[in-house]
Amino acid sequence: MSAIERLSLADLTNLAVEAPDTPMHQGALGLLEGATLVDREGRVRIERIRTHIEGRLERVPQLRRVLYQTGPFQGRPLWVDDPGFRIENHVLLARLPTPGGEAAALEFAEGMMSSLMDRTRPLWELWFLDGYGHGRVGVFLKLHHVFADGQAVLNIISLLFDLEPGHGEVVPVHWSASPAPSDRALVFDNAARKARLAVRLARQLAHPIVLARASAASARGLWEALKEGFGAPHTSLNRPIGSRRRVGVIRLSLAEVKALAHSAEAKVNDVFLDLIAGGLREVLLARGAAVDEISIRASMAVSLHSARDGAMVGNHVGSMIVPLPIGEVDVRARLASIAEATSRAKAKQRGAVPQTFMALLALSGLTRFFIRRQHLVNVLVTNLAGPPFPLYIAGARLEDAIPIPPIAGNVTASFAALSYDGRLDVSVHADLDSWPDLDVLMRGMGATWRQLQSGSAVPAEQGLTALSA
């Protein structure tokens, strides 16, 4: 590792947000065919799996890097090679309690999402879950948000996993950590970066009209986002979160979702948002809240990845605020309203602007004060496009993948959709203390999906009993 790789402002924001009640890592819970992963006694062959994964770390050298905190005049923190890296600290084995199955795997994921990661090590863990049953092995990936956003997590998975079952074993090559930069090198690098920044600023000031137009566009984008956020209702969805978590999931056919979206002149993402709206409507009704003419504000992640930057890891994500009109009973009319609102947000809001605002808060030290008191957004939403074909690890097919994004501040629920191999998994990651009624949410989302399919305008609360998630 020769170049000095500093943390970005987005990375610093994720570090500033984190606290014992707000672990800022992302998770993904998967299910693997077990035949190639277990021995004759049915035990997971963890050493073989570790060798398999270690042989692929050359594809993602960032997985051997650790945070390095800098001193005065040395600039932002950076990533350096971990001289104590050991694969057994990151590829781990756990046994699920009897009777195993999805319920036990989800409980394991909830526990993992509740605990902070050790910042003295590379910020990722890959757990293999023995005792799942039915000839399957669970797998859970835990990776810190300072290291990667949702799209980067998918990139990492695609590099560690294989595209076909007949994989070729890769013998791990000898690796040794490059030394961290000296104090002198960090000071000079920081000074050079500051000088380059000053030059760029001078060039911008030399073209005041261009600078004014860019500043005005950013201001308009921020205003459009704030204008949507100012309408966020005060509901039980927003309260300071604790450290305990809950995870729920429903599984849909991606082809069916696409067909429904096409018939409604909407996008898959719009259908996803309509499911969330239907579920939240049920929850607030069950909590005795009035929902007429209410629009929940969803902060939707927007990818800022560029095909030109070639970045496989890191944080390149912004956000925009989309209203979800849960006061609308007709699920099809609500879908049309959401599709229109999403198009409007894409046209008027600038995804990078909220991220810049949060970065400035991080530099000021006010991030946690703000996010635990904000009333701009009610829920967090992210939609990820995974591969349309199956992935394999050590010859075992990945049959299912559930995304689990973080929650923070006073936003008690985060929703994610992941398309993979013909299926769309829709998950919610919630604060346990705030969501004793998570089952109501999941039933409401399932009932909304059935109504969308049937074209029924019957309120979801009248059709909950038929759900089989």
Short mmCIF file of all heavy atoms in Angstrom, two decimals, residues 325-386:
data_model
loop_
_atom_site.label_atom_id
_atom_site.label_comp_id
_atom_site.label_asym_id
_atom_site.label_seq_id
_atom_site.Cartn_x
_atom_site.Cartn_y
_atom_site.Cartn_z
N PRO A 325 -47.85 8.68 1.10
CA PRO A 325 -49.18 9.11 1.56
C PRO A 325 -49.97 7.96 2.19
O PRO A 325 -50.85 7.36 1.56
CB PRO A 325 -49.84 9.62 0.28
CG PRO A 325 -49.21 8.81 -0.81
CD PRO A 325 -47.79 8.57 -0.37
N ILE A 326 -49.69 7.66 3.45
CA ILE A 326 -50.36 6.53 4.10
C ILE A 326 -51.83 6.82 4.39
O ILE A 326 -52.58 5.91 4.74
CB ILE A 326 -49.64 6.12 5.40
CG1 ILE A 326 -49.75 7.23 6.46
CG2 ILE A 326 -48.18 5.77 5.13
CD1 ILE A 326 -49.28 6.79 7.82
N GLY A 327 -52.24 8.07 4.25
CA GLY A 327 -53.66 8.38 4.40
C GLY A 327 -54.49 7.90 3.23
O GLY A 327 -55.72 7.79 3.33
N GLU A 328 -53.84 7.57 2.12
CA GLU A 328 -54.53 7.06 0.94
C GLU A 328 -54.86 5.58 1.12
O GLU A 328 -53.97 4.76 1.33
CB GLU A 328 -53.67 7.27 -0.31
CG GLU A 328 -54.22 6.65 -1.58
CD GLU A 328 -55.58 7.21 -1.94
OE1 GLU A 328 -55.67 8.41 -2.25
OE2 GLU A 328 -56.56 6.43 -1.89
N VAL A 329 -56.15 5.23 1.03
CA VAL A 329 -56.59 3.85 1.25
C VAL A 329 -56.35 2.99 0.02
O VAL A 329 -55.92 1.84 0.14
CB VAL A 329 -58.09 3.83 1.64
CG1 VAL A 329 -58.58 2.39 1.77
CG2 VAL A 329 -58.30 4.58 2.94
N ASP A 330 -56.61 3.52 -1.16
CA ASP A 330 -56.49 2.76 -2.40
C ASP A 330 -55.01 2.52 -2.71
O ASP A 330 -54.26 3.46 -2.97
CB ASP A 330 -57.15 3.54 -3.53
CG ASP A 330 -57.24 2.76 -4.83
OD1 ASP A 330 -56.29 2.02 -5.14
OD2 ASP A 330 -58.25 2.89 -5.54
N VAL A 331 -54.58 1.26 -2.69
CA VAL A 331 -53.16 0.95 -2.85
C VAL A 331 -52.65 1.33 -4.23
O VAL A 331 -51.49 1.72 -4.39
CB VAL A 331 -52.88 -0.54 -2.56
CG1 VAL A 331 -53.14 -0.87 -1.10
CG2 VAL A 331 -53.70 -1.45 -3.48
N ARG A 332 -53.51 1.23 -5.25
CA ARG A 332 -53.10 1.59 -6.61
C ARG A 332 -52.97 3.11 -6.74
O ARG A 332 -52.04 3.61 -7.37
CB ARG A 332 -54.10 1.05 -7.62
CG ARG A 332 -53.97 -0.45 -7.86
CD ARG A 332 -52.87 -0.75 -8.84
NE ARG A 332 -52.79 -2.18 -9.14
CZ ARG A 332 -52.23 -2.68 -10.23
NH1 ARG A 332 -51.70 -1.86 -11.13
NH2 ARG A 332 -52.15 -3.98 -10.43
N ALA A 333 -53.89 3.85 -6.16
CA ALA A 333 -53.79 5.31 -6.19
C ALA A 333 -52.57 5.77 -5.41
O ALA A 333 -51.88 6.72 -5.81
CB ALA A 333 -55.07 5.93 -5.61
N ARG A 334 -52.29 5.10 -4.32
CA ARG A 334 -51.10 5.44 -3.52
C ARG A 334 -49.83 5.16 -4.33
O ARG A 334 -48.87 5.94 -4.29
CB ARG A 334 -51.11 4.65 -2.22
CG ARG A 334 -50.04 5.10 -1.23
CD ARG A 334 -50.24 4.42 0.11
NE ARG A 334 -50.10 2.98 0.01
CZ ARG A 334 -50.84 2.10 0.72
NH1 ARG A 334 -51.76 2.54 1.55
NH2 ARG A 334 -50.65 0.81 0.57
N LEU A 335 -49.81 4.06 -5.06
CA LEU A 335 -48.65 3.73 -5.89
C LEU A 335 -48.43 4.81 -6.94
O LEU A 335 -47.29 5.24 -7.17
CB LEU A 335 -48.86 2.37 -6.56
CG LEU A 335 -47.78 1.93 -7.54
CD1 LEU A 335 -46.41 1.85 -6.87
CD2 LEU A 335 -48.14 0.58 -8.17
N ALA A 336 -49.49 5.28 -7.57
CA ALA A 336 -49.35 6.34 -8.58
C ALA A 336 -48.82 7.62 -7.95
O ALA A 336 -47.97 8.31 -8.53
CB ALA A 336 -50.70 6.59 -9.24
N SER A 337 -49.31 7.94 -6.75
CA SER A 337 -48.84 9.14 -6.05
C SER A 337 -47.36 9.02 -5.70
O SER A 337 -46.60 9.98 -5.85
CB SER A 337 -49.67 9.36 -4.79
OG SER A 337 -49.19 10.46 -4.05
N ILE A 338 -46.94 7.84 -5.25
CA ILE A 338 -45.54 7.63 -4.89
C ILE A 338 -44.65 7.72 -6.13
O ILE A 338 -43.56 8.31 -6.09
CB ILE A 338 -45.38 6.27 -4.19
CG1 ILE A 338 -45.99 6.34 -2.79
CG2 ILE A 338 -43.91 5.86 -4.11
CD1 ILE A 338 -46.04 5.00 -2.06
N ALA A 339 -45.09 7.13 -7.24
CA ALA A 339 -44.31 7.19 -8.48
C ALA A 339 -44.10 8.63 -8.91
O ALA A 339 -43.00 9.03 -9.34
CB ALA A 339 -45.01 6.39 -9.57
N GLU A 340 -45.15 9.44 -8.81
CA GLU A 340 -45.04 10.86 -9.18
C GLU A 340 -44.10 11.59 -8.23
O GLU A 340 -43.26 12.40 -8.66
CB GLU A 340 -46.42 11.50 -9.14
CG GLU A 340 -46.42 12.97 -9.52
CD GLU A 340 -47.80 13.59 -9.44
OE1 GLU A 340 -48.78 12.85 -9.22
OE2 GLU A 340 -47.90 14.83 -9.58
N ALA A 341 -44.21 11.31 -6.93
CA ALA A 341 -43.37 11.99 -5.94
C ALA A 341 -41.90 11.60 -6.11
O ALA A 341 -41.00 12.45 -5.96
CB ALA A 341 -43.83 11.63 -4.53
N THR A 342 -41.64 10.35 -6.45
CA THR A 342 -40.26 9.91 -6.66
C THR A 342 -39.64 10.60 -7.87
O THR A 342 -38.50 11.05 -7.82
CB THR A 342 -40.21 8.39 -6.84
OG1 THR A 342 -40.79 7.74 -5.70
CG2 THR A 342 -38.77 7.90 -6.99
N SER A 343 -40.40 10.68 -8.95
CA SER A 343 -39.91 11.37 -10.15
C SER A 343 -39.62 12.83 -9.85
O SER A 343 -38.62 13.40 -10.31
CB SER A 343 -40.93 11.25 -11.27
OG SER A 343 -41.11 9.91 -11.67
N ARG A 344 -40.51 13.46 -9.07
CA ARG A 344 -40.32 14.87 -8.73
C ARG A 344 -39.07 15.06 -7.86
O ARG A 344 -38.30 16.00 -8.06
CB ARG A 344 -41.56 15.38 -7.99
CG ARG A 344 -41.51 16.88 -7.67
CD ARG A 344 -42.84 17.37 -7.14
NE ARG A 344 -43.23 16.70 -5.90
CZ ARG A 344 -44.22 15.82 -5.80
NH1 ARG A 344 -44.94 15.50 -6.88
NH2 ARG A 344 -44.52 15.27 -4.64
N ALA A 345 -38.86 14.15 -6.91
CA ALA A 345 -37.69 14.24 -6.04
C ALA A 345 -36.40 14.08 -6.85
O ALA A 345 -35.42 14.81 -6.62
CB ALA A 345 -37.77 13.19 -4.94
N LYS A 346 -36.40 13.15 -7.80
CA LYS A 346 -35.21 12.95 -8.62
C LYS A 346 -34.90 14.18 -9.46
O LYS A 346 -33.73 14.51 -9.70
CB LYS A 346 -35.40 11.73 -9.53
CG LYS A 346 -35.38 10.40 -8.79
CD LYS A 346 -35.59 9.25 -9.76
CE LYS A 346 -35.55 7.92 -9.04
NZ LYS A 346 -35.82 6.78 -9.97
N ALA A 347 -35.94 14.86 -9.90
CA ALA A 347 -35.74 16.02 -10.76
C ALA A 347 -35.31 17.26 -9.99
O ALA A 347 -34.52 18.07 -10.49
CB ALA A 347 -37.03 16.31 -11.53
N LYS A 348 -35.79 17.41 -8.76
CA LYS A 348 -35.57 18.65 -8.03
C LYS A 348 -34.54 18.57 -6.92
O LYS A 348 -33.89 19.57 -6.59
CB LYS A 348 -36.90 19.15 -7.46
CG LYS A 348 -37.91 19.57 -8.53
CD LYS A 348 -39.13 20.23 -7.90
CE LYS A 348 -40.08 20.77 -8.97
NZ LYS A 348 -41.24 21.46 -8.36
N GLN A 349 -34.41 17.40 -6.29
CA GLN A 349 -33.46 17.28 -5.20
C GLN A 349 -32.11 16.81 -5.73
O GLN A 349 -32.04 16.12 -6.76
CB GLN A 349 -33.98 16.31 -4.14
CG GLN A 349 -35.29 16.74 -3.50
CD GLN A 349 -35.75 15.77 -2.43
OE1 GLN A 349 -34.97 15.20 -1.67
NE2 GLN A 349 -37.07 15.58 -2.37
N ARG A 350 -31.06 17.15 -5.02
CA ARG A 350 -29.71 16.71 -5.40
C ARG A 350 -29.21 15.78 -4.30
O ARG A 350 -29.04 16.19 -3.16
CB ARG A 350 -28.77 17.90 -5.58
CG ARG A 350 -29.22 18.84 -6.69
CD ARG A 350 -28.20 19.93 -6.93
NE ARG A 350 -26.95 19.40 -7.46
CZ ARG A 350 -25.88 20.14 -7.77
NH1 ARG A 350 -25.94 21.45 -7.60
NH2 ARG A 350 -24.79 19.59 -8.23
N GLY A 351 -28.98 14.51 -4.69
CA GLY A 351 -28.67 13.49 -3.70
C GLY A 351 -27.45 13.76 -2.87
O GLY A 351 -27.36 13.35 -1.71
N ALA A 352 -26.46 14.47 -3.42
CA ALA A 352 -25.21 14.71 -2.70
C ALA A 352 -25.33 15.81 -1.65
O ALA A 352 -24.53 15.88 -0.73
CB ALA A 352 -24.10 15.06 -3.68
N VAL A 353 -26.35 16.67 -1.78
CA VAL A 353 -26.45 17.82 -0.89
C VAL A 353 -26.69 17.42 0.57
O VAL A 353 -26.01 17.91 1.47
CB VAL A 353 -27.52 18.80 -1.39
CG1 VAL A 353 -27.76 19.90 -0.37
CG2 VAL A 353 -27.10 19.40 -2.73
N PRO A 354 -27.66 16.53 0.87
CA PRO A 354 -27.84 16.12 2.27
C PRO A 354 -26.58 15.48 2.86
O PRO A 354 -26.30 15.66 4.06
CB PRO A 354 -29.00 15.12 2.21
CG PRO A 354 -29.75 15.50 0.98
CD PRO A 354 -28.71 15.93 0.01
N GLN A 355 -25.84 14.74 2.05
CA GLN A 355 -24.61 14.13 2.53
C GLN A 355 -23.60 15.20 2.92
O GLN A 355 -22.90 15.07 3.93
CB GLN A 355 -24.02 13.21 1.45
CG GLN A 355 -22.85 12.37 1.91
CD GLN A 355 -23.26 11.37 2.97
OE1 GLN A 355 -24.33 10.81 2.94
NE2 GLN A 355 -22.37 11.16 3.93
N THR A 356 -23.51 16.26 2.14
CA THR A 356 -22.61 17.36 2.48
C THR A 356 -23.04 18.03 3.78
O THR A 356 -22.20 18.39 4.62
CB THR A 356 -22.60 18.40 1.33
OG1 THR A 356 -22.20 17.75 0.12
CG2 THR A 356 -21.63 19.53 1.63
N PHE A 357 -24.34 18.21 3.94
CA PHE A 357 -24.86 18.81 5.17
C PHE A 357 -24.49 17.96 6.39
O PHE A 357 -24.04 18.49 7.42
CB PHE A 357 -26.39 18.94 5.06
CG PHE A 357 -27.07 19.37 6.33
CD1 PHE A 357 -26.92 20.65 6.82
CD2 PHE A 357 -27.86 18.47 7.05
CE1 PHE A 357 -27.54 21.06 7.99
CE2 PHE A 357 -28.49 18.86 8.21
CZ PHE A 357 -28.33 20.16 8.69
N MET A 358 -24.64 16.62 6.26
CA MET A 358 -24.29 15.73 7.37
C MET A 358 -22.78 15.75 7.63
O MET A 358 -22.34 15.65 8.78
CB MET A 358 -24.76 14.31 7.07
CG MET A 358 -26.27 14.13 7.07
SD MET A 358 -27.03 14.58 8.65
CE MET A 358 -26.25 13.39 9.76
N ALA A 359 -21.99 15.89 6.58
CA ALA A 359 -20.55 15.96 6.77
C ALA A 359 -20.15 17.21 7.55
O ALA A 359 -19.27 17.17 8.41
CB ALA A 359 -19.85 15.93 5.41
N LEU A 360 -20.81 18.32 7.26
CA LEU A 360 -20.53 19.55 8.01
C LEU A 360 -20.93 19.39 9.48
O LEU A 360 -20.23 19.89 10.38
CB LEU A 360 -21.29 20.72 7.38
CG LEU A 360 -20.83 21.13 5.97
CD1 LEU A 360 -21.73 22.22 5.41
CD2 LEU A 360 -19.37 21.59 6.00
N LEU A 361 -22.02 18.69 9.73
CA LEU A 361 -22.41 18.42 11.11
C LEU A 361 -21.34 17.58 11.81
O LEU A 361 -21.03 17.79 12.98
CB LEU A 361 -23.75 17.69 11.15
CG LEU A 361 -25.02 18.52 10.97
CD1 LEU A 361 -26.25 17.61 11.01
CD2 LEU A 361 -25.13 19.59 12.04
N ALA A 362 -20.80 16.59 11.08
CA ALA A 362 -19.76 15.74 11.66
C ALA A 362 -18.54 16.55 12.05
O ALA A 362 -17.95 16.35 13.12
CB ALA A 362 -19.37 14.63 10.68
N LEU A 363 -18.15 17.50 11.19
CA LEU A 363 -17.00 18.33 11.49
C LEU A 363 -17.27 19.25 12.69
O LEU A 363 -16.35 19.60 13.43
CB LEU A 363 -16.63 19.17 10.26
CG LEU A 363 -16.11 18.39 9.05
CD1 LEU A 363 -15.91 19.32 7.86
CD2 LEU A 363 -14.82 17.66 9.38
N SER A 364 -18.54 19.61 12.88
CA SER A 364 -18.88 20.50 13.99
C SER A 364 -19.07 19.77 15.30
O SER A 364 -19.16 20.39 16.37
CB SER A 364 -20.16 21.27 13.65
OG SER A 364 -21.28 20.40 13.66
N GLY A 365 -19.18 18.43 15.24
CA GLY A 365 -19.42 17.65 16.45
C GLY A 365 -20.87 17.60 16.88
O GLY A 365 -21.19 17.14 17.98
N LEU A 366 -21.80 18.04 16.01
CA LEU A 366 -23.21 18.12 16.37
C LEU A 366 -24.05 17.00 15.77
O LEU A 366 -25.28 17.02 15.86
CB LEU A 366 -23.78 19.47 15.93
CG LEU A 366 -23.19 20.72 16.59
CD1 LEU A 366 -23.77 21.97 15.95
CD2 LEU A 366 -23.46 20.69 18.09
N THR A 367 -23.40 16.00 15.17
CA THR A 367 -24.15 14.99 14.43
C THR A 367 -25.16 14.27 15.30
O THR A 367 -26.35 14.19 14.98
CB THR A 367 -23.18 13.96 13.80
OG1 THR A 367 -22.25 14.64 12.97
CG2 THR A 367 -23.95 12.95 12.96
N ARG A 368 -24.71 13.70 16.41
CA ARG A 368 -25.63 12.92 17.25
C ARG A 368 -26.70 13.80 17.87
O ARG A 368 -27.86 13.37 18.02
CB ARG A 368 -24.85 12.15 18.32
CG ARG A 368 -24.25 10.86 17.77
CD ARG A 368 -23.64 9.98 18.82
NE ARG A 368 -24.46 9.71 19.98
CZ ARG A 368 -25.41 8.76 20.05
NH1 ARG A 368 -25.66 7.99 19.00
NH2 ARG A 368 -26.08 8.56 21.16
N PHE A 369 -26.35 15.01 18.24
CA PHE A 369 -27.36 15.93 18.79
C PHE A 369 -28.47 16.15 17.77
O PHE A 369 -29.66 16.13 18.11
CB PHE A 369 -26.71 17.27 19.16
CG PHE A 369 -27.68 18.29 19.68
CD1 PHE A 369 -28.00 18.33 21.03
CD2 PHE A 369 -28.27 19.20 18.81
CE1 PHE A 369 -28.92 19.28 21.50
CE2 PHE A 369 -29.18 20.15 19.29
CZ PHE A 369 -29.51 20.17 20.64
N PHE A 370 -28.09 16.31 16.51
CA PHE A 370 -29.08 16.58 15.46
C PHE A 370 -29.93 15.35 15.15
O PHE A 370 -31.16 15.44 15.13
CB PHE A 370 -28.37 17.07 14.19
CG PHE A 370 -29.29 17.18 13.01
CD1 PHE A 370 -30.16 18.26 12.89
CD2 PHE A 370 -29.29 16.20 12.02
CE1 PHE A 370 -31.02 18.36 11.81
CE2 PHE A 370 -30.15 16.30 10.94
CZ PHE A 370 -31.02 17.38 10.83
N ILE A 371 -29.29 14.21 14.90
CA ILE A 371 -30.05 13.06 14.41
C ILE A 371 -30.98 12.48 15.47
O ILE A 371 -31.98 11.82 15.13
CB ILE A 371 -29.12 11.95 13.87
CG1 ILE A 371 -28.26 11.35 14.98
CG2 ILE A 371 -28.27 12.46 12.72
CD1 ILE A 371 -27.46 10.14 14.54
N ARG A 372 -30.71 12.70 16.75
CA ARG A 372 -31.60 12.18 17.78
C ARG A 372 -32.76 13.13 18.07
O ARG A 372 -33.64 12.82 18.88
CB ARG A 372 -30.81 11.88 19.06
CG ARG A 372 -29.85 10.71 18.89
CD ARG A 372 -29.08 10.42 20.15
NE ARG A 372 -29.86 9.78 21.19
CZ ARG A 372 -30.15 8.48 21.24
NH1 ARG A 372 -29.73 7.67 20.28
NH2 ARG A 372 -30.85 7.98 22.24
N ARG A 373 -32.79 14.28 17.38
CA ARG A 373 -33.85 15.26 17.58
C ARG A 373 -34.51 15.71 16.28
O ARG A 373 -35.47 16.49 16.31
CB ARG A 373 -33.30 16.49 18.32
CG ARG A 373 -32.87 16.19 19.75
CD ARG A 373 -31.97 17.28 20.30
NE ARG A 373 -31.59 17.00 21.69
CZ ARG A 373 -30.60 16.18 22.05
NH1 ARG A 373 -29.89 15.56 21.11
NH2 ARG A 373 -30.32 15.99 23.33
N GLN A 374 -34.01 15.25 15.14
CA GLN A 374 -34.50 15.75 13.86
C GLN A 374 -35.96 15.33 13.63
O GLN A 374 -36.42 14.30 14.12
CB GLN A 374 -33.61 15.24 12.73
CG GLN A 374 -33.62 13.73 12.50
CD GLN A 374 -34.78 13.25 11.66
OE1 GLN A 374 -35.24 13.92 10.75
NE2 GLN A 374 -35.28 12.05 11.98
N HIS A 375 -36.66 16.13 12.83
CA HIS A 375 -38.03 15.82 12.41
C HIS A 375 -38.19 16.11 10.92
O HIS A 375 -39.18 16.69 10.49
CB HIS A 375 -39.05 16.60 13.24
CG HIS A 375 -39.17 16.12 14.65
ND1 HIS A 375 -39.76 14.91 14.99
CD2 HIS A 375 -38.74 16.66 15.81
CE1 HIS A 375 -39.72 14.75 16.30
NE2 HIS A 375 -39.10 15.79 16.83
N LEU A 376 -37.19 15.67 10.16
CA LEU A 376 -37.23 15.82 8.71
C LEU A 376 -37.63 14.53 8.02
O LEU A 376 -38.27 14.56 6.96
CB LEU A 376 -35.87 16.28 8.18
CG LEU A 376 -35.39 17.66 8.61
CD1 LEU A 376 -33.97 17.91 8.10
CD2 LEU A 376 -36.33 18.75 8.12
N VAL A 377 -37.23 13.40 8.57
CA VAL A 377 -37.55 12.09 7.97
C VAL A 377 -38.07 11.17 9.06
O VAL A 377 -37.71 11.27 10.23
CB VAL A 377 -36.33 11.47 7.27
CG1 VAL A 377 -35.83 12.36 6.14
CG2 VAL A 377 -35.19 11.19 8.25
N ASN A 378 -38.94 10.22 8.62
CA ASN A 378 -39.53 9.26 9.55
C ASN A 378 -38.90 7.88 9.44
O ASN A 378 -38.78 7.17 10.44
CB ASN A 378 -41.03 9.14 9.29
CG ASN A 378 -41.76 10.45 9.44
OD1 ASN A 378 -42.30 10.98 8.46
ND2 ASN A 378 -41.80 11.01 10.64
N VAL A 379 -38.52 7.47 8.22
CA VAL A 379 -37.93 6.15 8.01
C VAL A 379 -36.81 6.27 6.99
O VAL A 379 -36.74 7.24 6.22
CB VAL A 379 -38.97 5.11 7.52
CG1 VAL A 379 -40.03 4.85 8.58
CG2 VAL A 379 -39.63 5.56 6.21
N LEU A 380 -35.93 5.26 6.98
CA LEU A 380 -34.83 5.18 6.02
C LEU A 380 -35.12 4.06 5.03
O LEU A 380 -35.65 3.01 5.40
CB LEU A 380 -33.51 4.90 6.74
CG LEU A 380 -33.12 5.88 7.86
CD1 LEU A 380 -31.86 5.39 8.57
CD2 LEU A 380 -32.92 7.28 7.30
N VAL A 381 -34.75 4.28 3.77
CA VAL A 381 -35.07 3.32 2.71
C VAL A 381 -33.88 3.17 1.77
O VAL A 381 -33.25 4.17 1.40
CB VAL A 381 -36.31 3.79 1.90
CG1 VAL A 381 -36.60 2.82 0.76
CG2 VAL A 381 -37.53 3.93 2.79
N THR A 382 -33.57 1.94 1.39
CA THR A 382 -32.54 1.70 0.37
C THR A 382 -32.96 0.55 -0.51
O THR A 382 -33.55 -0.43 -0.04
CB THR A 382 -31.17 1.42 1.02
OG1 THR A 382 -30.18 1.31 0.00
CG2 THR A 382 -31.20 0.12 1.82
N ASN A 383 -32.68 0.65 -1.80
CA ASN A 383 -33.05 -0.37 -2.78
C ASN A 383 -31.79 -0.76 -3.54
O ASN A 383 -31.15 0.08 -4.17
CB ASN A 383 -34.11 0.19 -3.74
CG ASN A 383 -34.67 -0.88 -4.68
OD1 ASN A 383 -34.27 -2.03 -4.63
ND2 ASN A 383 -35.59 -0.48 -5.53
N LEU A 384 -31.43 -2.03 -3.46
CA LEU A 384 -30.18 -2.51 -4.04
C LEU A 384 -30.46 -3.54 -5.14
O LEU A 384 -31.29 -4.43 -4.96
CB LEU A 384 -29.31 -3.16 -2.96
CG LEU A 384 -28.89 -2.24 -1.81
CD1 LEU A 384 -28.27 -3.06 -0.69
CD2 LEU A 384 -27.95 -1.17 -2.29
N ALA A 385 -29.75 -3.39 -6.24
CA ALA A 385 -29.88 -4.33 -7.35
C ALA A 385 -28.73 -5.33 -7.30
O ALA A 385 -27.59 -5.00 -7.61
CB ALA A 385 -29.88 -3.59 -8.68
N GLY A 386 -29.04 -6.54 -6.87
CA GLY A 386 -28.03 -7.60 -6.84
C GLY A 386 -27.96 -8.32 -8.17
O GLY A 386 -28.68 -7.99 -9.12
#
